[in-house]
Amino acid sequence: MSSEDASAHSSVRLGSVWHGWGDPARRAPLPRAAREHLAAAGLLGERSTPVPLEQVRLPDPLLSEAATAALVAAVGIEHVRTDRLTRVLHAGGKSYLDLLRRRRGDAEHAPDAVVCPADHQQVRQVLQACVQHEVAVVPFGGGTSVVGGVEPLRGRFSALVALDLTRLDALVDVDPVSMTATLQAGMRGPQVERELSAHGLTLGHFPQSWEQATVGGFVATRSAGQASTGYGRFDEVLIGATCATPSGDLVLGRGPASAAGPRLLDVVVGSEGRLGVVTSATVAVRPAPAVQKFTGWSFPSFAAGTTAFRALAQQLGHGVAPDSCRLSDEEETTTTLRLAGGSLGARALRGYLRARGRRTGSLAIFGWDGTAAEVARRSRAAAALLRQHGGVPLGSGPGQAWSHGRFHAPYLRDELLDHGVLVETLETATSWRDLPALHTAVAAALRRSLTTAASAPLVQCHVSHVYRTGASLYFTVVARQDPTDPEGQWLAAKRAASDVIAAHGAPATHQHAVGTDHAPWMAAEVGETGLQLLRSMKDSLDPTGILNPGKMMP
Amino acid sequence: MSSEDASAHSSVRLGSVWHGWGDPARRAPLPRAAREHLAAAGLLGERSTPVPLEQVRLPDPLLSEAATAALVAAVGIEHVRTDRLTRVLHAGGKSYLDLLRRRRGDAEHAPDAVVCPADHQQVRQVLQACVQHEVAVVPFGGGTSVVGGVEPLRGRFSALVALDLTRLDALVDVDPVSMTATLQAGMRGPQVERELSAHGLTLGHFPQSWEQATVGGFVATRSAGQASTGYGRFDEVLIGATCATPSGDLVLGRGPASAAGPRLLDVVVGSEGRLGVVTSATVAVRPAPAVQKFTGWSFPSFAAGTTAFRALAQQLGHGVAPDSCRLSDEEETTTTLRLAGGSLGARALRGYLRARGRRTGSLAIFGWDGTAAEVARRSRAAAALLRQHGGVPLGSGPGQAWSHGRFHAPYLRDELLDHGVLVETLETATSWRDLPALHTAVAAALRRSLTTAASAPLVQCHVSHVYRTGASLYFTVVARQDPTDPEGQWLAAKRAASDVIAAHGAPATHQHAVGTDHAPWMAAEVGETGLQLLRSMKDSLDPTGILNPGKMMP
């Protein structure tokens, strides 16, 4: 087994910020304007810093000698890791609650070991070893879950390993005729784009976690990315997958479409490591865009903006409508303008708005990919429609500012946590008909739950994905952290919002998966008969229940 | 219980041609040109006529008194039908093998009764009664399965009923803001379009069986229609479904997209009545098109045409590419020209081809729906691309001829059966890369199997659906019927073709579901672990196995 100071493959790539996000070199202090705004609103709490790594409470590994030997036989001794940093890095995901716990030095539930197989065959051997020795397994890609999806829950097992898939990082096949690629599950977002771009191709899948997240995670969580309105959600670009399960391999996806029974690929998608371990995925790819254009627009109100977005989705349709569409409600627009401080984008945006006599309204960002001619044609078609709905173009400044900062929010969150600020997101989707009512109701529930005598929270929302029949709603909440019970503070707000979402018949999540956090709303999502169906799938593929215990099911 | 001469709701709507297709008034004799061509090719066999209905061998109903009483309690006495016509009409689907058997008077496997519930609640009660009294249930919509999907197989049960859903025929809800509609499962294609058109809407789902097929069947068989390239396959337009199962109701679909676990809606889709009975479906609808334009194009070869079709799918993409695309290979193009005889379309097509110095080549038909401006813009974009790939426009004549006759083929088949001609279809899909090889290999297998000393079959193929990553291949076979063993003759050819398809890694079916006929290839489709997963779903929702025994699983 490797020593504590070995340079862990996965540790290096996850960065050493075990209590926060990614690369420490990319953190920046909270902009002054933001700090002042938060202070004025009474949202700054007690400053804190994460405890040092060596003080993190980490129990001794519980893996039996026999289990350890079987895992070593499967992957080699240097890939069964028990060093402090690796175990702490695999002790959970990246939700607000995860970070709170990690910052105060709690890794009591960390996996006993982190097992890093090299290929599909080794994944199978690891699963067999874990079945035989009764060891729970948490499949682990980028570890970016914000819903408790990689929480090391042991269920009935006394030992648990994280199954780190990041050594499965090969581009297996590219078919430029059929425009498909087969990717191993451990490839992270940037590597996928880097390797595909050598073939003139793109996957076009950019969730905010893109820099860390892996292909296997995209499959397992039914991921959606910022450009999924155009490129399709991951379940729409996925055409095949290979999956190791305790009951045997699943090799799914034969050609572009099949009418042979239930689509089992859509059972693997969203299965969150409970049914098996995705080891590779075949996806539809596109030509790498010659041009990427981002533009900002302003609408008189969120209501006017949503009507315009609906027109884009229903009248232009897929392929003509923008590839990325984001519409901030009035509160998010105001916050964007204030918190962005003196940045180029915000200055440009304020200037544009002033020149057009509009104070805030609702800010929209659109992104188009393609050839110059296509982008010009499509953005012209969209512009005509947007003007009809009261849209005013703001030029490329705000769009470029958003594009530039779009993977930075998790770093900002680390800063806010240092400042005693609660910052978290939640999201859902609904029909166009119910969108205004659901937007209002969720925001009200969050506001009600988080308002104290001292301060009112910022509750902001944007539409991030549009469909012909509806759209997503993505809420961001900023509140003063309750130092006595920060977990309870957020859990109450989350519960209030999720109950409203369930009562409206909307999904528990549009893009963040279930994990532990949404499990209480799965009965509303699929009903008792649906839960029973999910259980039967689990029993079939993982009869001893080693895979990711305690997730998804209420 | 109703008497033999009662005018059965379902019988009337299915037409009285229990041994063939639809409305007898719409049958027409085989065109002279076609008959002459078939005679010259040695393809006409022994003439036959179906035995009269009263001579059809129909066993006495086996339903116990207790079971009958329970079913009568559920749906009312007049909706538990045992009259001869109704039972024979529900004795199977509409495949070549079904029609052969029915024509010679074999309804030995007919259901003991046909039960016609009025609503979801009655469907539940029927299922409960059948569980309690151990009666197998075949859910039955339009009865148009061509793969044995509604074959009344009893499995371990001594009694069997067909569950006819055509009384569930209401348009439940229309949401013109979200562009969705909720349809009861028993609505047939024309009724759906008629009722939606009153709201200015269309579903745009037109399989060849459209005149008879039902919404529930579209869900249960994972249907694709002629315009699915543009409107989306049924699994793409479906956003929700209600399903009665022996274990309870499944009510699925919350908003336009969800990331909450495996997509159970995609387990119901394609479940072929084995997991539950779909009672209603919520679908995305579109504005009824102001303009429908069909045009014909000619390509120098099928290879050139497929390259052009690939360009449409990959370069124009969804929403700009034609809503319907059909490309006939050289043999189908030749047959179309010959068999169409003196019809307006064929005359026009031959004239166009002659004028352009092209004998046959590969015929393409495109269809566009939309506003006049959209259709003009989209067809211009397509035309530019098609010309680059050697396409020559043939004007609207061939397109209109195809459009006019596109639901008529099943009637033509009845005529051909009268003339001792084997006529059957099979289909699959594959990647663009493998398409040429698979096309050649399947055609060769069919030709090899069906060639005799006396005659060679017509083996023709067309692409009917295009995707970014591949396309469907739809084969039509015309051969001289072997009068000694017509079933064995076709089964051997089907087996040869399906083995080739499986060896190429292509799906057992692109649009016809599994039923009995594709069950032997399901292990190739989903693997042993996939079969086990399918079995677990069945055990969960239908623990006593009453629903559609003997289907899908090998």
Side-chain angles (χ1 to χ4, degrees), chain B residues 410-429:
Chain B
Y411 289 108
L412 180 64
R413 180 175 59 164
D414 288 345
E415 282 299 310
L416 289 168
L417 262 68
D418 283 353
H419 285 80
V421 178
L422 181 169
V423 54
E424 188 51 296
T425 64
L426 59 82
E427 32 76 61
T428 184

Side-chain angles (χ1 to χ4, degrees), chain A residues 201-475:
Chain A
L201 301 172
T202 182
L203 172 58
H205 193 74
F206 303 106
Q208 195 173 62
S209 59
W210 175 74
E211 294 179 344
Q212 301 291 333
T214 58
V215 168
F218 297 156
V219 177
T221 63
R222 196 175 283 277
S223 169
Q226 290 162 352
S228 291
T229 292
Y231 285 89
R233 298 188 317 270
F234 208 76
D235 54 8
E236 295 174 299
V237 302
L238 187 74
I239 62 167
T242 299
C243 197
T245 86
S247 294
D249 287 347
L250 276 174
V251 183
L252 299 170
R254 293 169 82 82
S258 169
R263 191 167 186 249
L264 298 185
L265 195 57
D266 254 313
V267 168
V268 170
V269 178
S271 60
E272 303 187 24
R274 292 177 69 253
L275 302 180
V277 179
V278 176
T279 57
S280 71
T282 300
V283 293
V285 294
R286 305 273 184 116
V291 170
Q292 283 200 300
K293 176 179 172 178
F294 291 98
T295 55
W297 283 70
S298 173
F299 291 90
S301 65
F302 186 58
T306 51
T307 308
F309 271 47
R310 177 161 72 87
L312 287 178
Q314 292 180 346
Q315 292 176 42
L316 294 190
H318 193 76
V320 181
D323 296 311
S324 315
C325 309
R326 181 186 167 112
L327 177 73
S328 296
D329 67 1
E330 289 88 350
E331 182 139 357
E332 184 166 290
T333 301
T334 304
T335 307
T336 300
L337 291 175
R338 289 212 181 121
L339 292 198
S343 82
L344 183 68
R347 254 206 311 270
L349 174 54
R350 275 193 294 262
Y352 279 109
L353 286 173
R354 227 182 354 255
R356 280 155 187 83
R358 191 174 282 175
R359 199 171 161 77
T360 50
S362 198
L363 172 64
I365 304 289
F366 300 110
W368 283 271
D369 281 10
T371 64
E374 280 165 14
V375 167
R377 176 178 59 77
R378 290 169 59 198
S379 54
R380 258 200 317 275
L385 210 53
L386 297 175
R387 283 179 209 275
Q388 282 173 31
H389 291 87
V392 174
L394 301 176
S396 61
Q400 278 167 357
W402 172 80
S403 166
H404 188 74
R406 64 188 176 140
F407 301 121
H408 192 72
Y411 289 107
L412 181 62
R413 180 174 57 163
D414 289 345
E415 283 298 310
L416 290 169
L417 263 67
D418 282 354
H419 285 79
V421 178
L422 182 169
V423 54
E424 187 52 294
T425 65
L426 58 83
E427 32 76 62
T428 184
T430 188
S431 67
W432 290 113
R433 182 166 62 178
D434 200 41
L435 191 138
L438 184 59
H439 171 247
T440 303
V442 173
L446 288 167
R447 206 166 275 126
R448 208 160 36 234
S449 180
L450 290 165
T451 297
T452 65
S455 70
L458 303 179
V459 176
Q460 49 202 44
C461 182
H462 64 263
V463 168
S464 61
H465 299 77
V466 300
Y467 305 88
R468 282 186 184 273
T469 62
S472 67
L473 286 172
Y474 191 102
F475 293 86

Side-chain angles (χ1 to χ4, degrees), chain B residues 117-133:
Chain B
D119 55 27
H120 176 84
Q121 190 54 34
Q122 288 192 1
V123 171
R124 289 178 55 162
Q125 288 168 342
V126 169
L127 293 184
Q128 283 159 15
C130 290
V131 167
Q132 194 187 341
H133 297 282

Side-chain angles (χ1 to χ4, degrees), chain A residues 175 177-178 222 249 254 258-259 261 263 266 270 286 314 318 433 468-469 502 505-507 509 513 524-525 529 532 540, chain B residues 175 177-178 222 249 254 258-259 261 263 266 270 286 314 318 433 468-469 502 505-507 509 513 524-525 529 532 540:
Chain A
D175 173 356
V177 175
S178 313
R222 196 175 283 277
D249 287 347
R254 293 169 82 82
S258 169
R263 191 167 186 249
D266 254 313
R286 305 273 184 116
Q314 292 180 346
H318 193 76
R433 182 166 62 178
R468 282 186 184 273
T469 62
T509 168
E525 185 84 17
T529 310
Q532 182 182 324
S540 167
Chain B
D175 173 355
V177 175
S178 313
R222 198 175 281 277
D249 288 348
R254 292 170 84 80
S258 170
R263 192 167 186 250
D266 253 312
R286 305 274 184 115
Q314 292 180 346
H318 193 73
R433 181 166 63 179
R468 281 184 185 273
T469 61
T509 168
E525 185 85 16
T529 310
Q532 183 181 322
S540 168

Side-chain angles (χ1 to χ4, degrees), chain B residues 140-156:
Chain B
F140 200 101
T144 62
S145 172
V146 290
V147 294
V150 291
E151 181 69 15
L153 299 178
R154 284 158 200 259
R156 67 177 185 83

Side-chain angles (χ1 to χ4, degrees), chain B residues 48 98 212 309 318 337 366 386 395 439 518 523 550-551:
Chain B
S48 72
D98 290 330
Q212 302 289 332
F309 271 47
H318 193 73
L337 291 175
F366 300 110
L386 298 175
H439 171 246
H518 294 131
K551 312 296 157 56

